[in-house]
């Protein structure tokens, strides 16, 4: 029975992944993500049901649009697969089983699924546009507040631990509003900070510290590769320019998911 449950979770994860690809494409363009029918970004033809089956549609169509025959970007297939695998792996490590489907377990699983939505979409948009979208940031804030209420009311967690995070949210949101009003644009740094606070609330300080360390190592390695490539191409660039286009939100998202999986596996198998 557990196998059937995990198959269902995988399917649900791929459906979420399909939604992630849509959101990552449309949100930066300020397009509707709930009511507008899915369409091919090349020929704008509306997609039918058979074109929208996660994973399988890409395979059966050989990675091409049914209507204009243009190649579909592999990211759609990759995100759907990764989303499905991540959902199953996290559910398994959280001990979500048929004989363990209590209300608290389902609630924790639902919050984790919604949190993964935040991470996937935030990281995907940042990778494509180097931008922490404000709408996604607010989704993370609202989700975090709902999670804090759940922890304090249902699981009797101490509110004092989260008061600091709520104060930080308020401070950064006010700062971001001032920045938006003065410079007519969202602050990337403020978006990263809001993302880090949301991660801390859901995954804890230990995971967040490891996430920052892993992100720093990944960014440093990326900058080193760019520097080596520039030396080989004999391109001269000032040191301060190296970090301008690094997708910090993307690296944070990947590092956070990996650390969550590692910690869950540690508690499941070693404790």
């Amino acid at each position: 029975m557990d196998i059937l449950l995990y198959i269902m979770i995988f399917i649900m994860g791929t459906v979420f992944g399909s939604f992630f690809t849509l959101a990552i494409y449309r949100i930066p363009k300020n397009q509707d993500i709930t009511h507008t029918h899915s369409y091919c970004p090349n020929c704008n033809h509306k997609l039918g049901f058979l074109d929208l089956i996660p994973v399988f549609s890409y395979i059966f169509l050989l990675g091409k649009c049914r209507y204009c025959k243009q190649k579909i970007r592999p990211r759609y297939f990759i995100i759907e697969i990764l989303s499905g695998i991540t959902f199953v792996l996290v559910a398994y490590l959280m001990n979500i089983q048929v004989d363990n489907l209590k209300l608290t377990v389902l609630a924790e699983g639902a919050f984790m699924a919604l949190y993964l939505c935040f991470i996937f979409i935030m990281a995907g948009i940042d990778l494509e546009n180097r931008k922490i979208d404000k709408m996604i940031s607010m989704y993370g804030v609202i989700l975090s507040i709902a999670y804090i209420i759940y922890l304090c009311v249902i699981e009797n967690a101490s509110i004092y631990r989260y008061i600091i995070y709520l104060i930080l949210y308020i401070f950064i949101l006010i700062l971001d509003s001032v920045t938006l009003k003065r410079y007519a644009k969202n602050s990337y740094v403020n978006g990263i900070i809001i993302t880090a606070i949301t991660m801390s609330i859901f995954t804890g300080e230990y995971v967040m510290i490891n996430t920052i360390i892993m992100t720093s190592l990944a960014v440093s390695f990326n900058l080193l590769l760019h520097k080596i490539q520039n030396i080989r191409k004999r391109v001269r660039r000032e040191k301060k320019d190296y970090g301008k286009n690094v997708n910090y939100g993307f690296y944070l998202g990947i590092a956070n998911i990996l650390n969550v999986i590692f910690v869950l596996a540690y508690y499941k198998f070693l404790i």
Side-chain angles (χ1 to χ4, degrees), residues 94-97 100-110 150:
M94 290 179 67
N95 290 318
I96 297 178
Q97 301 171 350
N100 191 33
L101 294 180
K102 297 183 294 185
L103 182 60
T104 54
V105 173
L106 291 174
E108 289 286 348
Y150 164 78

Side-chain angles (χ1 to χ4, degrees), residues 4 17 20 30 45 48 52 60 64 94 96-97 100 104 108 114 133 145 163 175 179 182 201 210 219 257 262-263:
L4 292 177
F20 298 158
N30 295 318
H45 195 288
L52 297 173
F60 293 149
K64 296 181 180 180
M94 290 179 67
I96 297 178
Q97 301 171 350
N100 191 33
T104 54
E108 289 286 348
L114 294 174
D133 188 86
I145 293 173
I163 288 177
L175 182 63
T179 303
R182 179 172 296 181
I201 291 173
N210 287 337
V219 169
I257 290 177
F262 173 79
V263 170

Side-chain angles (χ1 to χ4, degrees), residues 39-270:
Y39 60 89
C40 172
N42 294 308
C43 64
N44 293 322
H45 195 288
K46 288 185 178 181
L47 302 180
F49 174 77
L50 295 178
D51 304 315
L52 297 173
I53 302 175
V55 180
F56 292 102
S57 290
Y58 186 91
I59 296 174
F60 293 149
L61 294 173
L62 302 177
K64 296 181 180 180
C65 172
R66 183 193 304 273
Y67 309 100
C68 65
K69 306 304 179 183
Q70 289 291 320
K71 287 186 177 181
I72 303 171
R73 295 180 63 179
R75 75 165 191 182
Y76 295 97
F77 177 76
I78 294 171
I79 291 177
E80 289 170 357
I81 286 288
L82 287 178
S83 178
I85 293 173
T86 302
F87 271 61
V88 170
L89 190 55
V90 171
Y92 172 72
L93 295 175
M94 290 179 67
N95 290 318
I96 297 178
Q97 301 171 350
V98 172
D99 58 355
N100 191 33
L101 294 180
K102 297 183 294 185
L103 182 60
T104 54
V105 173
L106 291 174
E108 289 286 348
F111 273 114
M112 180 55 72
L114 294 174
Y115 174 70
L116 289 175
C117 291
F118 166 75
I119 294 296
F120 268 93
I121 297 175
M122 178 280 300
I125 291 176
D126 188 54
L127 180 63
E128 293 287 325
N129 303 277
R130 197 183 181 273
K131 174 184 178 183
I132 306 298
D133 188 86
K134 195 163 187 177
M135 186 175 77
I136 300 303
S137 294
M138 290 308 301
Y139 165 74
V141 172
I142 294 171
L143 182 63
S144 297
I145 293 173
Y147 187 54
I148 291 173
I149 294 173
Y150 164 78
L151 291 175
C152 295
V153 174
I154 304 300
E155 298 194 0
N156 296 318
S158 174
I159 187 63
Y160 300 108
R161 173 177 176 268
Y162 300 104
I163 288 177
I164 296 175
Y165 289 129
L166 294 175
I167 293 173
L168 287 173
Y169 266 147
I170 294 171
F171 175 76
I172 297 300
L173 289 173
I174 292 174
L175 182 63
D176 193 59
S177 298
V178 171
T179 303
L180 180 63
K181 184 176 181 180
R182 179 172 296 181
Y183 300 105
K185 63 179 181 179
N186 293 329
S187 170
Y188 187 76
V189 175
N190 292 344
I192 290 293
I193 295 174
I194 291 175
T195 298
I197 296 172
T198 303
M199 289 179 173
S200 297
I201 291 173
F202 272 92
T203 62
E205 291 79 10
Y206 174 78
V207 170
M208 194 60 223
I209 291 172
N210 287 337
T211 296
I212 292 174
I213 293 173
M214 186 181 291
T215 300
S216 300
L217 291 174
V219 169
S220 299
F221 182 71
N222 182 28
L223 295 178
L224 179 61
L225 285 180
H226 276 285
K227 188 172 183 179
I228 293 173
Q229 291 175 357
N230 288 336
I231 291 174
R232 288 180 176 178
K233 295 177 182 178
R234 296 181 180 179
V235 175
R236 293 183 178 180
R237 185 180 297 179
E238 294 182 8
K239 189 176 181 180
K240 64 180 181 181
D241 292 335
Y242 282 126
K244 275 188 175 181
N245 299 314
V246 176
N247 310 95
Y248 294 99
F250 170 75
Y251 287 110
L252 271 175
I254 297 299
N256 188 251
I257 290 177
L258 291 176
N259 274 285
V260 167
I261 291 174
F262 173 79
V263 170
L264 289 175
Y266 175 79
Y267 279 102
K268 183 176 179 66
F269 297 114
L270 299 179

